[in-house]
Amino acid sequence: MIQASELILNPDGSVYHLNLKPENIAHNIIFVGDQNRVEKISQFFDSIEFTTQKREFKTTTGTLKGKRITVMSTGIGPDNIDIVMNELDALVNIDLDTKQAKSKLTSLNIIRIGTSGSLHADIPVDSFVMSKFGLGLDNMLRSYLIDSISNSAIEEAFIQQTNWDLRKGKPYVISCSDELEKQFHSNQMYKGITATAGGFYGPQGRVLRLNIQDPTLNSKMDTFHFDNQRITNLEMETAAIYGLSALLGHKALSLNAIIANRASGTFSADPYKAVDELIAYTLKKIVQ
């Protein structure tokens, strides 16, 4: 039995951070970082059956064209993803009354809709990127046993080509779900490796008043290549989502609206339009 200190429940029986019970979530789940984006997606539902919020974790479940969908805000960063993924999995794969893992496991479909910055001039603002791989620079997933799911060849190539300082931890690389990649494929969408940083400023090469360990890291990532794969963009959640989904037996895919181009120094004139178009595309693919 899982101890109460390890799987914490609220007095009403819901999981501690997400404030959810098993019946509150659908099989298809859309992740967004910003809690305000939950309503931007759920407004397209034909009906809404449930909504709740605790801290930055806002969840709405409803139906669109007969398909039940949950939209959930995760907040920012791999640490939040650790909370969200483990508690979501507990909702479907642990009996919350007996605190025992279920004998028959459920696999969720998790699609992240995020905003991101491109590292290449030829991936312009307002375009879409599908993350074929997540490259974790954050070290969170190394708390788990990941050797069976990580791509060590890309990891080692990245360490060598960027002269990565292992004092920051060893990067990890996880693939998206092949099934979801095929379902959401578009010839107009860029594909590549999405780097996931553990912070927004120094970890992503931004300098305000603090010097950083490797001021050339972004340019090194820009030139990284492995087996026709390159690092397309940089954000803060994808690799953590891919890693925990793979470990727990869920399918995950990250779709990114590019609102900034770090190579050219440009920012989208209307980032909300790009996000709205990605939302429409994602919902269309889910209900097809």
Side-chain angles (χ1 to χ4, degrees):
M1 186 177 74
I2 301 170
Q3 298 298 312
S5 60
E6 311 306 290
L7 176 56
I8 304 170
L9 301 180
N10 295 310
D12 67 352
S14 61
V15 290
Y16 182 66
H17 295 92
L18 301 185
N19 208 34
L20 296 172
K21 296 180 180 180
E23 62 268 24
N24 299 144
I25 62 168
H27 183 78
N28 295 288
I29 300 177
I30 297 173
F31 279 178
V32 294
D34 183 358
Q35 57 193 281
N36 294 322
R37 202 171 291 156
V38 172
E39 190 172 346
K40 284 178 68 71
I41 297 176
S42 63
Q43 67 177 324
F44 296 107
F45 291 176
D46 297 323
S47 63
I48 292 176
E49 66 179 74
F50 173 84
T51 188
T52 191
Q53 180 170 1
K54 184 177 180 182
R55 304 182 190 183
E56 62 266 53
F57 307 112
K58 182 174 182 178
T59 303
T60 296
T61 295
T63 303
L64 176 63
K65 295 184 178 179
K67 183 80 73 170
R68 195 165 179 252
I69 303 171
T70 291
V71 188
M72 175 181 297
S73 61
T74 64
I76 300 173
D79 51 342
N80 272 26
I81 297 302
D82 184 55
I83 291 171
V84 171
M85 286 299 309
N86 276 288
E87 292 194 6
L88 268 182
D89 181 74
L91 289 172
V92 294
N93 289 320
I94 296 174
D95 186 316
L96 300 185
D97 293 324
T98 66
K99 298 287 186 73
Q100 299 277 2
K102 296 179 180 178
S103 57
K104 183 179 180 181
L105 300 181
T106 296
S107 178
L108 300 169
N109 293 327
I110 297 167
I111 301 95
R112 176 184 182 267
I113 297 178
T115 54
S116 185
S118 165
L119 296 177
H120 297 275
D122 66 325
I123 303 178
V125 295
D126 302 325
S127 62
F128 300 156
V129 168
M130 176 186 290
S131 306
K132 173 68 176 174
F133 295 95
L135 165 64
L137 309 177
D138 56 279
N139 222 30
M140 183 278 290
L141 205 69
R142 290 287 177 190
S143 295
Y144 299 94
L145 303 174
I146 67 170
D147 288 350
S148 64
I149 62 164
S150 64
N151 190 312
S152 59
I154 301 181
E155 292 168 3
E156 292 304 323
F158 178 80
I159 291 169
Q160 293 300 319
Q161 291 184 39
T162 62
N163 193 26
W164 180 262
D165 189 340
L166 289 173
R167 289 178 299 176
K168 295 189 292 186
K170 186 177 180 181
Y172 59 90
V173 176
I174 314 291
S175 175
C176 69
S177 160
D178 291 339
E179 183 178 323
L180 292 182
E181 179 186 2
K182 293 174 183 176
Q183 180 181 346
F184 286 83
H185 171 76
S186 167
N187 290 328
Q188 285 71 49
M189 191 173 291
Y190 295 88
K191 287 185 182 182
I193 301 170
T194 293
T196 296
F200 184 77
Y201 289 97
Q204 294 190 36
R206 291 181 172 91
V207 177
L208 302 183
R209 290 203 314 114
L210 296 176
N211 292 328
I212 57 177
Q213 181 269 329
D214 187 355
T216 64
L217 180 60
N218 279 11
S219 62
K220 292 176 184 176
M221 290 196 293
D222 183 53
T223 58
F224 174 78
H225 59 88
F226 180 88
D227 195 22
N228 296 320
Q229 296 288 341
R230 61 176 178 167
I231 300 173
T232 49
N233 60 310
L234 180 60
E235 47 82 89
M236 295 181 63
E237 288 84 31
T238 293
I241 294 170
Y242 282 9
L244 288 172
S245 293
L247 288 172
L248 293 166
H250 305 297
K251 303 180 184 71
L253 184 69
S254 180
L255 304 175
N256 306 269
I258 299 300
I259 62 171
N261 188 292
R262 302 292 295 278
S264 62
T266 56
F267 192 83
S268 173
D270 188 357
Y272 299 107
K273 181 174 182 289
V275 172
D276 288 345
E277 290 177 351
L278 184 55
I279 289 170
Y281 178 85
T282 302
L283 291 175
K284 179 182 177 181
K285 288 292 185 178
I286 289 177
V287 300
Q288 278 181 346

